[in-house]
Amino acid sequence: MPSPHIAPVSTTLPASAAGAATASKALFWNRIAARYAAAPIADMGGYETTLRRVQGLLSTTHEVLEIGCGTGSTALRLAPFTRRLLATDVSSEMIAIARQRLAGQPSPQLSFAVADAEATAFGQGAYDVVLAFNLLHLASDLDDALKQVAQALRPGGLLISKTPCIAEMNPLIAYLAVPLLRASGIVPRVLRLNQQRLQSAMVQQGMQIVCAERHGTRGKDFRAFMVARKPG
């Protein structure tokens, strides 16, 4: 199924600066796409719990958007539970791998597109559900990213997210290791978030928190699974 038209939108940055920011993000993720695709899931039990939880929230009547889909493995698992799923990522290399996977595992509901979640118009009230897994901590501006999500959702629509809460980790990791890895180009820029900050940012955009859970099965889980609803 062909992807709907998605177009760049104005941001608080000048167009040239916004384009440079998108290009910089794409460059990083393009460089590591093959390694990312080959990496095993660290907590498979937690991942499967999250998938089951999300599947229970989806319906075959839902139009679904995934932002930051990576190489598409999660989209492939969830697409059969939707009417249509458009999965997007800023990295063209990630999307190329995702499309290869789709070719080997056809799913008529699923399509992939290259798009920066912070600089793309996905349509006003076009989706019943927006999925954001391991993405919100990578936003340049969390509030603006959530504003875009809220605009894309229909009244009553759901934002389903899972986000690493860096601020909940050991301070040596959050305030020393992560900045050093960032300076070395090993990890991208990340926001030091906790669950309270995530909840507050969603509420600020007019969304209602439905649930906040942790699905990890190996030690302390720093990834907050959250569902927020746009009032209908």
Side-chain angles (χ1 to χ4, degrees):
M1 180 179 296
S3 303
H5 176 68
I6 51 181
V9 297
S10 298
T11 69
T12 54
L13 294 172
S16 58
T22 295
S24 178
K25 286 187 287 186
L27 182 64
F28 175 87
W29 293 107
N30 284 341
R31 178 167 55 83
I32 69 165
R35 187 166 73 249
Y36 180 93
I41 294 172
D43 182 359
M44 183 59 74
Y47 177 69
E48 291 294 340
T49 296
T50 297
L51 283 179
R52 289 192 296 271
R53 187 72 171 87
V54 177
Q55 288 165 4
L57 293 166
L58 297 177
S59 165
T60 52
T61 65
H62 283 162
E63 300 279 339
V64 180
L65 169 69
E66 183 179 5
I67 51 178
C69 71
T71 53
S73 55
T74 298
L76 282 163
R77 294 285 299 274
L78 295 177
F81 298 88
T82 72
R83 179 182 180 186
R84 183 176 65 89
L85 196 165
L86 172 63
T88 67
D89 198 278
V90 71
S91 166
S92 60
E93 292 297 325
M94 293 278 194
I95 292 298
I97 294 170
R99 285 172 173 160
Q100 289 174 0
R101 289 178 167 175
L102 180 59
Q105 186 182 333
S107 177
Q109 301 96 330
L110 180 59
S111 59
F112 290 102
V114 178
D116 183 353
E118 295 185 81
T120 303
F122 291 105
Q124 187 79 22
Y127 295 94
D128 300 291
V129 178
V130 174
L131 307 174
F133 302 129
N134 299 306
L135 177 75
L136 295 179
H137 67 305
L138 301 174
S140 302
D141 184 317
L142 177 63
D143 296 320
D144 189 59
L146 290 173
K147 181 179 179 181
Q148 301 262 34
V149 167
Q151 289 175 346
L153 283 171
R154 292 170 179 157
L158 297 178
L159 164 62
I160 305 176
S161 65
K162 190 171 185 179
T163 308
C165 293
I166 308 297
E168 297 178 7
M169 297 180 179
N170 185 309
L172 290 177
I173 297 175
Y175 294 96
L176 181 60
V178 170
L180 286 174
L181 291 170
R182 165 63 176 153
S184 302
I186 298 173
V187 300
R189 176 186 178 276
V190 297
L191 299 176
R192 289 191 287 264
L193 301 174
N194 57 27
Q195 183 176 308
Q196 182 178 3
R197 169 71 177 104
L198 281 168
Q199 289 184 180
S200 297
M202 292 175 187
V203 170
Q204 186 176 345
Q205 296 304 324
M207 290 186 278
Q208 302 165 344
I209 305 301
V210 175
C211 71
E213 306 169 358
R214 305 290 169 116
H215 297 161
T217 62
R218 299 177 58 183
K220 187 173 182 180
D221 186 3
F222 298 101
R223 289 170 297 179
F225 174 85
M226 298 180 63
V227 181
R229 186 187 307 278
K230 180 176 180 177

